[in-house]
Amino acid sequence: MRVTLDHIHDEAHNIRSFFFKPDGPFAYIAGQYTELTVPHDSPDERGTKHWFTISSSPTQQLLSITTKLATEHASTFKQALWKLPIGTKLHMADSMGDFVLPKDKTIPLVFVAGGIGCTPFHSMIQWLTDTNEQRDIQLIYSVNRPEEVAFKSLFESYAKKFQLLLKEPSPEWDGPTGSLSADKILELVGDPTGKMIFLSGPEQMVKGFEKDLLDRGVERHLLVVDDFPGYTTI
Ligand SMILES: Cc1cc2nc3c(=O)[nH]c(=O)nc-3n(C[C@H](O)[C@H](O)[C@H](O)COP(=O)(O)OP(=O)(O)OC[C@H]3O[C@@H](n4cnc5c(N)ncnc54)[C@H](O)[C@@H]3O)c2cc1C
């Protein structure tokens, strides 16, 4: 599908949402992803195509992706994306993926986001908000520093429990601190019985938590994962 860059919004430090107007109807379910092509001169080995979660909600007119610009060794793709003029036409692949809300609306959900892994949760929570559907959601969101928190007001306004975990807190921070781990997730969740846990973030983090949570007795069918390759840390 051909899409046109409509506007850009800074969500947090070095984190931006890019909003696109599709040429025609673009069907997707909140939480799914797409592949965006950004043609540019002399691309590095990371290429001109990248996978991105669609951070907007199907209730919204524009499609968005939200991503982070690395402070060191940013790919030529990200550098080109950051410099795109408004009005640029690009190609976006059809939506795909099964990191989506369960059909059963009564299942209590635990969303665990590591850094930029917050993007599918933004899509889902925006969708639930716009469609006036209340689900039991606990959102655990881990970042390094306070300035890296994106979508805070939406998350705070919807989630039954919103827990922000800061690795490097500011002096005035009085919430949870430290690094996320399977044990920390279970401590924040309490009794996980019957709860569906969604993990989203850098590949290494998600794969590690997935294994550790399974080892600690979380049932396979209650664990849903979305891992982003290409990032080493949150
Ligand atoms: C299903 C799916 C959904 C995704 N959703 C999102 C999303 O919503 N938002 C998002 O931001 N990303 C998402 N990603 C990841 C995305 O596709 C990119 O892999 C990621 O953004 C990193 O982009 P980049 O390679 O341009 O690295 P950059 O962001 O430019 O850099 C990231 C860091 O990676 C290191 N690095 C990694 N590979 C190399 C290399 N080959 N050479 C040198 N340094 C390297 C560098 O140290 C650098 O600091 C998703 C991936 C998948 C598969």
Side-chain angles (χ1 to χ4, degrees):
M1 165 80 63
R2 217 161 67 125
V3 297
T4 306
L5 181 61
D6 184 87
H7 67 279
I8 297 169
H9 185 251
D10 283 326
E11 303 291 355
H13 182 66
N14 279 345
I15 296 177
R16 279 187 175 173
S17 291
F18 297 82
F19 291 83
F20 299 95
K21 192 172 188 310
D23 267 5
F26 185 97
Y28 67 104
I29 303 170
Q32 285 191 310
Y33 61 94
T34 183
E35 189 186 46
L36 181 70
T37 307
V38 178
H40 57 279
D41 292 337
S42 312
D44 63 16
E45 73 282 3
R46 286 176 269 179
T48 58
K49 292 170 190 247
H50 272 41
W51 301 106
F52 289 108
T53 302
I54 305 167
S55 56
S56 51
S57 151
T59 47
Q60 297 175 309
Q61 218 190 342
L62 299 177
L63 299 166
S64 68
I65 60 128
T66 303
T67 188
K68 187 171 163 178
L69 185 70
T71 43
E72 282 176 19
H73 314 299
S75 62
T76 55
F77 178 98
K78 288 281 176 80
Q79 293 173 46
L81 180 66
W82 242 250
K83 286 189 230 146
L84 278 185
I86 302 301
T88 304
K89 292 189 188 305
L90 298 173
H91 181 266
M92 208 179 247
D94 288 347
S95 58
M96 59 203 103
D98 51 12
F99 193 79
V100 297
L101 290 163
K103 286 208 168 69
D104 182 346
K105 298 175 183 176
T106 63
I107 301 174
L109 307 173
V110 179
F111 289 172
V112 181
I116 198 66
C118 63
T119 53
F121 302 134
H122 180 266
S123 176
M124 294 177 194
I125 291 181
Q126 187 67 58
W127 187 81
L128 291 168
T129 302
D130 291 347
T131 56
N132 236 341
E133 187 182 314
Q134 200 54 52
R135 295 217 191 188
D136 181 344
I137 294 179
Q138 174 178 5
L139 172 53
I140 300 168
Y141 182 13
S142 166
V143 296
N144 290 316
R145 288 174 288 280
E147 62 272 24
E148 294 171 4
V149 179
F151 310 131
K152 188 163 177 254
S153 56
L154 180 78
F155 290 162
E156 260 174 350
S157 70
Y158 187 90
K160 202 165 173 184
K161 226 186 213 180
F162 174 54
Q163 287 153 315
L164 194 57
L165 188 74
L166 295 182
K167 228 178 191 175
E168 299 165 29
S170 51
E172 61 275 11
W173 176 249
D174 64 355
T177 58
S179 296
L180 203 53
S181 64
D183 288 329
K184 188 74 191 174
I185 293 169
L186 291 175
E187 182 195 314
L188 293 171
V189 169
D191 182 5
T193 312
K195 296 179 181 169
M196 190 172 272
I197 303 180
F198 283 68
L199 300 175
S200 173
E203 187 175 23
Q204 214 183 339
M205 182 202 93
V206 168
K207 293 214 160 122
F209 292 174
E210 181 183 21
K211 181 186 174 301
D212 292 348
L213 286 170
L214 290 171
D215 287 350
R216 285 160 181 70
V218 171
E219 293 176 62
R220 174 73 271 174
H221 73 282
L222 290 174
L223 200 51
V224 193
V225 300
D226 196 13
D227 51 86
F228 299 177
Y231 286 121
T232 40
T233 63
I234 58 164

